[in-house]
């Protein structure tokens, strides 16, 4: 958790809490918030007795509360005239703690969602300190977890007047400081002590953790803080002494056996089922009340009258029961009334979504803690900032996280420990990743004819971890320990520390990533490669011509050919180009510069494909510019009246492959294709789409190619370095699972535009094509991952071909593609030496230069499971698990794959609970700090179209998504599975920043606002029915909601600040993603809204996917079963 955004917030998971008493609430930059009166709410523990109910402004995210209920804590609670961009919106927390100057490492403190523990109060002392190291160490927390003993004062002290609900003296809080291991002091958190875990209680109210980062280590909590109860800082015991927030219906008082250290009767944790509690909706036993949180409460629905006589349940360790709370408004309509009068029949209870781990919160915390400092890679086993955080990387010996991310940066020393934890050890590697302008590209090292220096035995490349010995004459390999002579030309003396004196002059000795110029020995047939070629192959069948696609492609290519990729300082690209059109037959074009007009040659014998011309087919763009332009003008006219509807497909790839073979070069085919290839030819396909196979054992056949022909063709393409990029424009079933095989195995990309229409899809297609043609790509690539003794690479995921167990072969590898590698133990590792990875990629650059790109990474090793769980990266873990599952559907029924995923994650969390968490009741779900988002993200993977399709998802869509995800990087899977949802109406038009994101749930949307949701493939703009007319006019240029057109594919360019701001946000998001996202306008209560709601992943899905709350309960049940 962060320093300036606390985890323990009031209901909408971290709404700004305007006004501590006597303390101005800072906004994000520390400036006071406009329009928030001081002390609008009491001192953080409840409202003042006579406080006025603030009127919620327009656009408040939930309906206004009735009288007597606490005010809304939504980010929208400022007057509408004030811009709240810098405020944390729903799901972001800024609770009045000043931002700390000292950067904190993630994860600094845990988030115990403790049943019954209250947020740690901040004492209203005259000075506010900056928050330093996190308090609670694991050792001490164990005492609290086992049942807290409250030290010092036992007698209740009266609260100061004006605090608490009801008459000032009606509820005396217990004061006193609690003792941890006999003392009232916290020990500051150090690297050796893990953060305390996040816990969510079952059947009991949830509470949020203490302020992480409060330096209580130097002060005893005062025995009497006015109006504050003492802070139980750990997994809570029993329900809380605080009034419940919305959704928290309290179980009646019922004595149970006290836990160790507990001195009073409250409902015991081990007894989640209380009498009179209605059965829960989900699989969890016991009611799911919301979190007891002091301070602000989200407004309850307006239909519900305040309920006096709400019998409060006291926190188990405090020894008294609160009296009735006269002013407390119950949460959901019909919350049962424990106390004086009978209430209406109870609804099913559920956990309060605001009390469970929020992705938005975690992302914001990481940004504020780790976004300001550069990430320096000099230290072994450092966990990098999250992919959602903007940070600079300084390479000091380990590869940047832009190139490699791991599921854990501290791996178990033994295979037994790895098996016990079930945490997969994997690295997601993006060898040619694009770096921001502020970071240096890998240096190119040229060792001349002798080539790079390597280990004699394992052939690892020289890197910063090699150990020079004998005065620098030899080096010992860090991977296999073999000693190798240093070549004479490479010799250098060592300094007094044993480092070579040229250490900083040589990238391969001081940096984590660098390139070597490869010698002729690294080239095919021992000769240097020719520059690669691009061949554009255009479907000219009836559909393609009629839709305007052929004309569009030809027009675009005229200008696009000037932007072919080129080496750093070259004046023009070395890449040659060729053109083919096809339907049932193939047409090749001679565009030799000496010709006045292009010549067409037709090959109708598609069964035995050959290239009818060598000279003039692949040409230099500048030399043949006029002939190419003439050809591109003629193609649309030539086929304008075509009646041919059938197409071939495999012969098209064969033709491109033969052309590259004849030219003796590698290259890429850009194929623009519209329909299922049913014409008589090799690779002919039949329509085998069958929705009835879904949820049967034969469902896996839908993901498998229907013939092995394409696998063999792919193998030939890889051998030649022929990469295939496929642009599909289907109006019906096309069999992506089969057509995509060659693309997938050659390292290419698939783009799909279903029901292509010029006006709505042109923008997206042209942008995708431009990026695809211009992006950096390596050809004829081979990648090998070496590891130090003890682990080895055993499994690989991504778009590539493997002819043996170690070499990943790709005809082409672009800057967006990742290869995911899983490691297994084959021996013991030692904590001292750690573990090393070296990824070596041999490829041909776009200028025809053969190069080696090397990435090195050192990881820590551990003998304690706690160290493993403290250094995991959930986003990378989810990336790996999704790819593992998406490969699983090729061979197993989808249900089996889903169950295996749930089981593995339950085992990961159960192992943590059993071996690392302090003892506590089985009624709590305890999550490791850095894995607290594992359940929510895993649920998103389980609900994805591949694993749980709704009725509207086509077989082709599923095959397409499956192939797409398999080579996504961590940032892409992050936003793909948990989309980003931004309230556009909260955007500050005068700043460059994005509005604070909110959680993906329908209950976070307000009818009076406009929201943007992006998932890497689409951008939805959702417009509420009550949006002000002025906003609609400013954004869409129409005067009313009903006039907004769903057919817009781009926002109109209007000269007003709001339009400019929204368009700049859209542009900013488009630049961040590797594909151009389709813009879809969704009006509330419109038919498209069903599609939009599919991406609100915290809610229940139409296809049967669980809501986040229900899934968390289900995971808890699974974990408890494993533990029992």
């Amino acid at each position: 958790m962060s320093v300036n955004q606390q985890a323990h917030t009031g209901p909408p998971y971290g709404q700004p809490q305007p006004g501590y008493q006597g303390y101005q609430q800072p906004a994000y930059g520390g400036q006071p918030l406009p329009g928030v009166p001081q002390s609008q709410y009491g001192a953080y523990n409840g409202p003042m007795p006579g406080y006025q109910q603030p009127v919620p402004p327009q656009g408040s995210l939930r309906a206004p509360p009735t009288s007597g209920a606490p005010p809304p804590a939504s980010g929208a609670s400022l007057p509408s005239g004030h811009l709240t961009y810098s405020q944390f919106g729903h799901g972001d927390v800024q609770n009045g703690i000043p931002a700390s100057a000292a950067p904190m490492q993630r994860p600094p403190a845990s988030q115990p969602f403790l049943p019954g523990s209250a947020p740690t109060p901040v004492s209203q002392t005259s000075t506010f300190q900056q928050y330093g190291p996190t308090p609670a160490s694991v050792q001490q927390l164990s005492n609290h977890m086992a049942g807290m003993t409250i030290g010092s004062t036992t007698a209740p002290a009266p609260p100061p007047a004006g605090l608490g609900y009801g008459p000032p003296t009606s509820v005396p809080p217990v004061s006193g400081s609690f003792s941890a291991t006999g003392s009232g002091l916290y020990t500051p958190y150090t690297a050796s002590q893990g953060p305390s875990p996040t816990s969510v209680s079952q059947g009991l109210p949830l509470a949020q953790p203490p302020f992480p980062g409060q330096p209580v280590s130097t002060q005893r909590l005062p025995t009497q803080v006015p109006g504050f109860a003492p802070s139980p800082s750990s997994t809570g015991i029993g329900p809380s002494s605080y009034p419940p927030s919305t959704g928290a219906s309290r179980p009646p008082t019922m004595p149970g056996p006290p836990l160790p250290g507990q001195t009073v009767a409250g409902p015991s944790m081990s007894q989640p089922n209380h009498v009179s509690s209605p059965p829960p909706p989900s699989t969890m036993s016991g009611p799911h009340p919301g979190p007891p949180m002091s301070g602000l409460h989200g407004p309850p629905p307006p239909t519900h009258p305040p309920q006096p006589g709400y019998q409060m349940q006291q926190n188990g360790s405090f020894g008294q029961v609160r009296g009735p709370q006269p002013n407390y408004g119950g949460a959901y309509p019909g919350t049962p009334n424990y106390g004086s009068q009978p209430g209406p029949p109870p609804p099913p209870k559920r956990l309060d979504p605001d009390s469970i781990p929020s992705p938005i919160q975690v992302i914001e915390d990481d940004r504020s803690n780790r976004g300001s400092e550069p990430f320096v890679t000099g230290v072994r086993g450092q966990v990098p900032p999250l992919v959602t955080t903007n940070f600079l990387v300084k390479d000091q010996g380990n590869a940047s996280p832009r190139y490699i991310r791991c599921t854990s940066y501290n791996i178990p020393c033994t295979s037994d420990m790895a098996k016990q934890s079930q945490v997969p050890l994997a690295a997601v590697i993006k060898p040619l990743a694009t770096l921001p302008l502020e970071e240096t590209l890998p240096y190119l090292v040229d060792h001349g004819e002798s080539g790079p220096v390597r280990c004699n035995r394992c052939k690892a490349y020289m890197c910063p971890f090699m150990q020079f010995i004998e005065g620098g004459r030899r080096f010992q390999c860090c991977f296999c320990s073999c000693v190798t002579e240093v070549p004479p030309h490479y010799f250098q003396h060592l300094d007094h520390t044993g480092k070579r004196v040229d250490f900083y002059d040589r990238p391969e000795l001081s940096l984590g990533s660098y390139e070597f110029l490869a010698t002729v020995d690294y080239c095919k047939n021992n000769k240097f490669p020719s520059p690669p070629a691009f061949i554009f192959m255009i479907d000219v069948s009836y559909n393609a011509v009629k839709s305007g696609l052929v004309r569009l492609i030809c027009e675009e290519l005229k200008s696009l050919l000037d932007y072919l990729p080129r080496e750093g300082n070259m004046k023009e690209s070395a890449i040659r180009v060729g053109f083919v059109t096809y339907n049932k037959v193939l047409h090749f074009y001679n565009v030799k510069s000496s010709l006045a007009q292009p010549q067409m040659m037709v090959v109708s014998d598609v069964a035995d494909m050959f290239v009818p011309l060598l000279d003039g087919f692949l040409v230099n763009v500048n030399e043949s510019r006029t002939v190419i332009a003439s050809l591109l003008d003629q193609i649309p006219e030539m086929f304008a009246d075509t009646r041919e509807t059938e197409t071939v497909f495999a012969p098209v790839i064969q033709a491109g492959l033969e052309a590259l073979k004849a030219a003796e070069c590698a290259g890429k085919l850009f194929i623009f294709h519209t329909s299922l290839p049913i014409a008589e030819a090799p690779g002919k396909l039949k329509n085998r789409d069958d929705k009835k196979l879904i949820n049967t054992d034969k469902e896996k056949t839908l993901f498998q190619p229907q013939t092995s022909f394409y696998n063999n063709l792919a193998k030939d393409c890889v051998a030649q370095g022929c990469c295939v990029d496929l642009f599909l424009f289907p109006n019906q079933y096309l069999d992506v699972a089969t057509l995509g095989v060659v693309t997938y195995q050659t390292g290419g990309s698939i783009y799909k535009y279903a029901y292509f229409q010029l006006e709505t899809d042109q923008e997206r297609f042209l942008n995708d094509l431009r990026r695809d043609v211009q992006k950096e790509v390596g050809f004829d690539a081979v990648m090998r991952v070496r590891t130090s003794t003890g682990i080895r690479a055993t499994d690989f995921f991504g778009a590539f071909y493997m002819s043996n167990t170690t070499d990943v072969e790709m005809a082409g590898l672009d800057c967006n593609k990742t290869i995911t590698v899983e490691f297994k133990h084959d021996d013991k590792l030692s904590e001292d030496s750690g573990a090393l990875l070296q990824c070596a990629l041999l490829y041909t650059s776009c200028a025809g230069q053969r190069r080696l790109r090397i990435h090195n990474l050192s990881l820590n090793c551990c003998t304690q499971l706690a160290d493993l769980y403290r250094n995991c990266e959930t986003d990378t873990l989810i990336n790996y698990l999704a790819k593992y599952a998406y490969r699983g559907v090729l061979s197993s029924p989808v249900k089996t794959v889903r169950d295996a995923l749930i089981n593995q994650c339950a085992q990961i969390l159960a192992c943590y609970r059993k071996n690392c968490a302090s003892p506590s009741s089985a009624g709590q779900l305890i999550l490791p700090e850095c894995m607290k988002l594992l359940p929510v993200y895993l649920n998103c993977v389980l609900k994805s179209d591949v694993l749980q399709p709704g009725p509207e998802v086509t077989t082709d869509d599923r095959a397409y998504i499956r192939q797409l995800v398999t080579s996504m990087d961590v940032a892409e899977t992050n936003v793909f599975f948990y989309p980003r949802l931004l309230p556009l109406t909260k955007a500050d038009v005068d700043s460059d920043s994005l509005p604070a994101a909110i959680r993906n749930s329908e209950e976070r949307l307000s009818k009076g606002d406009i929201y943007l949701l992006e998932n890497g493939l689409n951008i939805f703009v959702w417009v509420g029915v009550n949006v002000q007319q002025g906003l609609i006019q400013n954004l869409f240029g129409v005067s009313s909601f009903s006039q907004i057109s769903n057919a817009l594919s781009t926002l109109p360019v209007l000269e007003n600040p709001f339009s400019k701001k929204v368009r700049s946000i859209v542009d900013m998001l488009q630049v961040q993603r590797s594909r151009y996202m389709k813009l879809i306008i969704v009006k509330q209560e419109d038919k498209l809204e069903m599609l939009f709601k599919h991406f609100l992943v915290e809610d229940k899905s139409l296809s049967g996917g669980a809501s986040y709350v229900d899934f968390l309960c289900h995971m808890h049940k699974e974990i408890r079963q494993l533990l029992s």
Side-chain angles (χ1 to χ4, degrees):
M1 290 293 124
S2 127
V3 185
N4 53 344
Q5 298 149 315
Q6 308 312 338
H8 73 276
T9 64
Y13 206 85
Q15 292 325 319
Q17 309 275 10
Y20 279 96
Q21 266 196 325
Y23 177 62
Q24 179 68 40
Q25 159 89 12
Y28 196 11
Q31 67 276 38
L33 285 185
V36 178
Q38 288 266 358
S39 291
Q40 181 180 354
Y41 311 104
Y44 202 30
N45 216 16
M48 313 207 174
Y51 84 78
Q52 293 298 308
Q53 174 73 35
V55 181
Q58 275 246 308
S60 154
L61 284 177
R62 294 190 193 138
T66 48
S67 64
S74 87
S77 61
L78 292 175
S80 45
H82 291 285
L83 293 165
T84 55
Y85 80 95
S86 63
Q87 195 79 11
F88 296 113
H90 261 282
D92 305 304
V93 191
Q94 163 85 341
N95 268 352
I97 304 283
S100 156
M104 280 180 47
Q105 287 298 315
R106 173 172 77 99
S110 82
Q111 180 160 351
F113 290 90
L114 315 180
S117 75
T120 307
V122 176
S123 57
Q124 301 283 11
T125 47
S126 54
T127 58
F128 259 73
Q129 294 155 313
Q130 283 289 359
Y131 293 106
T134 328
S137 80
V138 170
Q139 288 87 324
Q140 282 168 270
L141 282 171
S142 61
N143 281 12
H144 305 294
M145 289 179 185
M148 286 173 347
T149 11
I150 301 295
S152 92
T153 345
T154 44
L163 290 180
Y165 286 103
T169 51
S170 68
V171 188
V174 183
S175 68
S177 58
F178 51 87
S179 56
T181 44
S183 91
L185 298 181
Y186 274 168
T187 344
Y189 160 74
T190 61
S192 63
Q193 304 163 329
S196 48
T198 298
S199 79
V200 176
S201 85
Q202 161 161 12
L204 286 162
L206 301 166
Q208 300 283 353
F211 287 95
Q214 191 177 349
V216 203
S217 49
T218 51
Q219 67 188 73
R220 207 170 166 75
L221 286 180
T223 43
Q224 178 73 49
V225 179
F228 295 127
S231 69
S233 93
S234 147
T235 42
I237 316 300
S240 156
S241 52
Y242 296 104
S245 73
T246 55
S249 44
R250 266 315 137 87
T253 316
M254 176 172 160
L259 296 171
Q262 197 171 328
T263 50
V264 276
S268 125
M269 283 309 273
S270 54
Q271 252 177 316
N273 286 316
H274 297 297
V275 287
S276 86
S277 154
S282 76
T283 50
M284 247 170 100
S285 57
H288 314 159
M293 295 188 204
S294 50
L296 300 158
H297 300 285
T303 55
H304 195 48
Q307 297 187 347
Y310 203 77
Q311 180 74 35
M312 289 310 299
Q313 182 65 48
Q314 184 66 10
N315 188 331
S317 45
F318 290 179
Q320 53 160 333
V321 175
R322 276 194 177 219
Q325 303 295 321
N327 291 336
Y328 186 70
Y332 284 96
T335 306
N337 213 352
Y338 303 116
S340 50
Q341 353 80 311
K349 306 270 193 326
R350 53 174 282 205
L351 284 167
D352 182 338
D354 288 324
S355 63
I356 55 183
S358 157
I360 304 302
Q361 186 57 43
V362 172
I363 287 168
E364 277 302 327
D365 289 349
D366 195 73
R367 277 187 188 142
S368 58
N369 290 335
R370 307 197 63 186
S372 51
E373 291 293 310
F375 178 69
V376 181
T377 71
V379 183
R380 181 175 85 186
Q382 280 186 106
V383 182
L386 297 180
V387 284
T388 43
T389 299
N390 263 336
F391 60 98
L392 277 182
V393 179
K394 289 195 172 158
D395 185 342
Q396 291 192 359
N398 281 292
S400 159
R402 302 190 206 287
Y403 294 124
I404 307 183
R405 276 188 178 264
C406 295
T407 52
S408 178
Y409 287 79
N410 201 333
I411 61 182
C413 281
T414 64
S415 60
D416 291 346
M417 192 172 153
K419 282 194 190 99
Q420 186 185 359
S421 73
Q422 286 287 313
V423 175
L425 305 175
V428 179
I429 305 174
K430 195 175 179 184
L432 297 179
T434 311
L435 299 183
L437 295 171
E438 305 84 9
E439 292 177 22
T440 321
L441 291 170
Y443 289 99
L444 181 60
V445 179
D446 183 359
H447 283 314
E449 287 182 17
S450 58
V453 178
R454 303 175 69 175
C455 165
N456 270 346
R457 186 198 291 159
C458 71
K459 299 290 183 247
Y461 294 86
M462 180 53 65
C463 73
F465 311 121
M466 297 289 190
Q467 194 66 42
F468 286 89
I469 52 176
E470 295 177 26
R473 285 190 293 282
R474 295 167 153 212
F475 68 91
Q476 183 168 26
C477 177
C478 50
F479 295 96
C480 71
S481 305
C482 173
V483 173
T484 302
E485 294 279 337
V486 173
H489 72 87
Y490 198 71
F491 174 77
Q492 187 53 273
H493 295 285
L494 307 183
D495 66 12
H496 63 286
T497 63
K499 260 186 187 171
R500 284 173 54 122
V501 294
D502 61 353
F503 176 81
Y504 290 109
D505 304 331
R506 292 197 177 269
E508 73 274 21
L509 298 181
S510 53
L511 299 177
S513 301
Y514 42 87
E515 293 201 311
F516 290 120
L517 205 52
T519 59
V520 76
D521 311 335
Y522 292 86
C523 303
K524 257 187 206 159
N525 309 326
N526 276 3
K527 61 181 224 186
F528 285 112
S530 310
F534 282 0
I535 304 177
F536 297 92
M537 315 185 91
I538 305 166
D539 174 346
V540 288
S541 63
Y542 178 74
N543 276 345
V545 174
K546 186 180 65 118
S547 65
L549 180 62
V550 174
R551 188 174 295 279
L552 183 68
I553 293 168
C554 292
E555 279 303 312
E556 179 61 29
L557 286 180
K558 284 186 205 167
S559 55
L560 188 54
L561 294 177
D562 288 333
Y563 296 98
L564 298 175
R566 54 173 179 245
E567 215 65 75
N569 47 10
M570 292 170 58
K571 286 218 167 45
E572 60 175 63
S573 174
I575 293 173
R576 291 167 297 161
V577 297
F579 302 89
V580 172
T581 54
Y582 67 94
N583 38 46
K584 254 186 359 189
V585 297
L586 276 77
H587 323 103
F588 292 79
Y589 296 94
N590 183 346
V591 281
K592 202 172 171 179
S593 55
S594 54
L595 295 173
Q597 284 294 320
Q599 294 171 348
M600 171 164 131
M601 297 184 184
V602 181
V603 176
S604 50
D605 181 7
V606 289
D608 182 19
M609 185 43 63
F610 67 99
V611 179
L613 73 162
L614 290 178
D615 191 26
F617 179 62
L618 293 177
V619 296
N620 173 296
V621 175
N622 281 338
E623 290 169 10
S624 298
R625 183 175 296 281
T626 49
V627 194
I628 292 172
S630 170
L631 170 68
L632 294 172
D633 284 335
Q634 289 174 35
I635 288 174
E637 306 309 326
M638 262 190 292
F639 298 100
D641 302 324
T642 185
R643 287 280 164 266
E644 185 56 73
T645 55
E646 291 188 356
T647 57
V648 296
F649 184 70
V652 182
I653 297 176
Q654 287 172 325
L657 172 61
E658 292 303 321
L660 294 177
K661 271 187 186 166
E664 294 184 353
C665 68
K668 186 184 272 198
L669 313 182
F670 295 83
I671 302 180
F672 304 91
H673 189 79
T674 60
S675 58
L676 190 71
I678 53 173
E680 211 45 62
K684 170 187 173 180
L685 301 179
K686 60 181 192 296
N687 187 337
R688 51 152 186 174
D689 190 17
D690 188 359
K691 280 277 178 84
K692 291 197 288 293
L693 297 182
I694 291 179
N695 294 327
T696 69
D697 284 355
K698 289 192 172 166
E699 183 172 6
K700 56 178 182 258
T701 59
L702 297 175
F703 295 109
Q704 298 164 351
Q706 58 173 285
T707 158
S708 62
F709 181 88
Y710 288 95
N711 294 52
N712 297 328
L713 182 54
K715 186 176 168 185
D716 296 340
C717 287
V718 172
Q720 181 54 44
C722 169
C723 177
V724 179
D725 279 3
L726 192 50
F727 292 81
L728 296 172
F729 306 87
N731 289 333
Q732 56 208 16
Y733 178 70
L734 192 76
D735 202 349
V736 173
T738 307
L739 296 189
V741 166
V742 178
T743 297
Y744 183 65
Q745 293 192 15
T746 57
S749 306
I750 302 185
Y751 299 85
K752 182 166 160 288
Y753 311 88
Y755 308 108
F756 178 83
Q757 288 178 308
L758 271 186
E759 55 278 10
T760 52
D761 296 309
Q762 166 177 344
E763 181 86 4
R764 178 166 63 115
F765 162 59
L766 292 181
N767 275 286
D768 280 341
L769 178 59
R770 287 165 195 157
R771 290 185 191 188
D772 197 56
V773 167
Q774 295 174 41
K775 69 187 172 192
E776 184 191 351
V777 59
F779 294 95
D780 230 340
V782 184
M783 187 183 100
R784 183 176 283 191
V785 178
R786 293 179 174 82
T787 52
S788 54
T789 313
I791 52 168
R792 61 194 168 87
T794 54
D795 210 349
F796 300 86
F797 303 83
F800 53 74
Y801 173 78
M802 288 187 83
S803 56
N804 58 35
T805 56
T806 54
D807 293 333
V808 175
E809 300 173 51
M810 293 153 290
L813 172 68
D814 64 54
C815 53
N816 299 319
K817 292 280 185 306
T818 63
I819 295 97
T820 301
V821 186
E822 187 182 6
F823 303 98
K824 289 262 174 25
H825 286 75
D826 58 4
D827 203 346
K828 279 200 172 84
L829 294 162
S830 89
E831 284 186 283
D832 298 339
S833 52
L836 301 174
L837 317 176
Q838 184 177 80
C839 161
L841 176 79
L842 176 64
Y843 71 99
T844 302
S845 74
C846 55
Q849 198 176 52
R850 201 71 176 147
R851 294 182 179 180
L852 283 151
R853 180 168 289 200
I854 313 295
H855 299 297
N856 303 286
L857 186 63
S858 59
L859 303 173
N860 286 331
C861 296
C862 57
T863 53
Q864 299 296 317
L865 282 163
D867 291 329
L868 164 68
Y869 283 101
R870 202 172 292 131
N871 291 282
C872 287
E873 234 264 296
T874 299
D875 293 322
T876 310
L877 192 56
I878 287 292
N879 179 286
Y880 165 83
L881 290 170
K883 290 171 180 177
Y884 184 77
Y886 281 17
R887 186 176 66 184
V889 298
L890 291 173
S891 52
S892 308
V894 172
K895 184 177 186 315
T896 311
V897 173
R898 291 166 47 82
D899 291 346
L901 267 184
I902 294 173
N903 184 43
Q904 180 167 7
C905 288
Q907 285 189 318
I908 290 172
L909 297 174
C911 173
Y912 174 81
R913 171 67 184 258
K914 184 177 170 188
N915 299 289
C916 308
S918 307
S920 59
S921 150
Q924 282 176 306
L925 169 60
I926 298 186
L927 304 169
E929 172 62 19
C930 62
M931 281 191 190
K932 65 184 175 201
L933 298 182
L934 188 59
V936 62
Y937 287 164
L938 178 70
N939 191 35
C940 298
V941 175
L942 294 169
K943 286 158 63 165
S944 64
D945 291 339
V946 173
L947 299 182
Q948 195 163 29
E952 74 295 339
V953 179
T954 67
T955 306
D956 275 346
D957 286 334
R958 296 177 75 197
Y960 173 63
I961 295 296
R962 194 191 78 76
Q963 295 194 9
L964 210 56
V965 168
T966 307
S967 49
M968 274 187 184
D969 72 11
V970 180
E972 287 172 318
T973 50
N974 175 275
V975 78
F976 179 76
F977 289 115
Y978 193 93
R980 175 150 57 161
L981 182 58
L982 304 173
L984 293 179
T985 21
K986 304 272 190 301
D988 175 19
V989 293
D990 300 321
S991 114
D992 292 340
S993 62
L994 292 172
I998 59 173
R999 292 171 67 170
N1000 281 325
S1001 172
E1002 193 174 355
E1003 65 184 38
R1004 311 278 167 180
L1005 303 180
S1006 147
K1007 290 183 174 185
D1009 286 323
I1010 301 173
Y1011 298 87
L1012 178 149
L1013 182 145
E1014 62 131 354
N1015 74 337
L1017 296 183
N1018 299 303
I1019 290 180
F1020 293 92
V1021 174
W1022 182 91
V1023 188
V1025 286
N1026 296 346
V1027 173
Q1028 293 168 7
Q1029 196 178 336
L1031 283 176
I1032 291 176
Q1033 183 71 51
N1034 283 346
L1035 189 56
F1036 299 104
V1038 295
S1039 55
S1040 71
F1041 178 80
S1042 57
Q1043 291 175 304
I1044 299 171
S1045 161
N1046 287 20
L1048 290 174
S1049 61
T1050 51
L1051 291 168
V1053 177
L1054 303 171
E1055 285 302 313
N1056 66 71
F1058 185 59
S1059 172
K1060 284 179 182 164
K1061 177 65 185 176
V1062 172
R1063 283 181 289 115
S1064 81
I1065 288 174
V1066 169
D1067 293 344
M1068 193 191 304
L1069 299 181
Q1070 293 285 22
V1071 169
Q1072 287 175 14
R1073 306 292 168 215
S1074 61
R1075 289 165 182 253
Y1076 193 86
M1077 295 180 279
K1078 180 177 186 172
L1079 183 76
I1080 300 169
I1081 308 292
V1082 178
K1083 293 153 73 175
Q1084 188 179 359
E1085 294 162 13
D1086 188 62
K1087 59 182 185 299
L1088 269 174
E1089 200 183 25
M1090 296 306 266
L1091 178 62
F1092 173 75
K1093 283 181 180 172
H1094 177 65
F1095 297 99
L1096 298 176
V1097 290
E1098 289 197 22
D1099 298 338
K1100 204 168 177 225
S1101 73
L1102 291 170
S1103 52
S1107 70
Y1108 174 21
V1109 167
D1110 291 346
F1111 183 69
L1112 201 60
C1113 300
H1114 178 66
M1115 279 303 281
H1116 189 195
K1117 186 177 136 208
E1118 294 281 323
I1119 292 165
R1120 287 177 72 168
Q1121 279 178 347
L1122 287 171
L1123 291 174
S1124 61

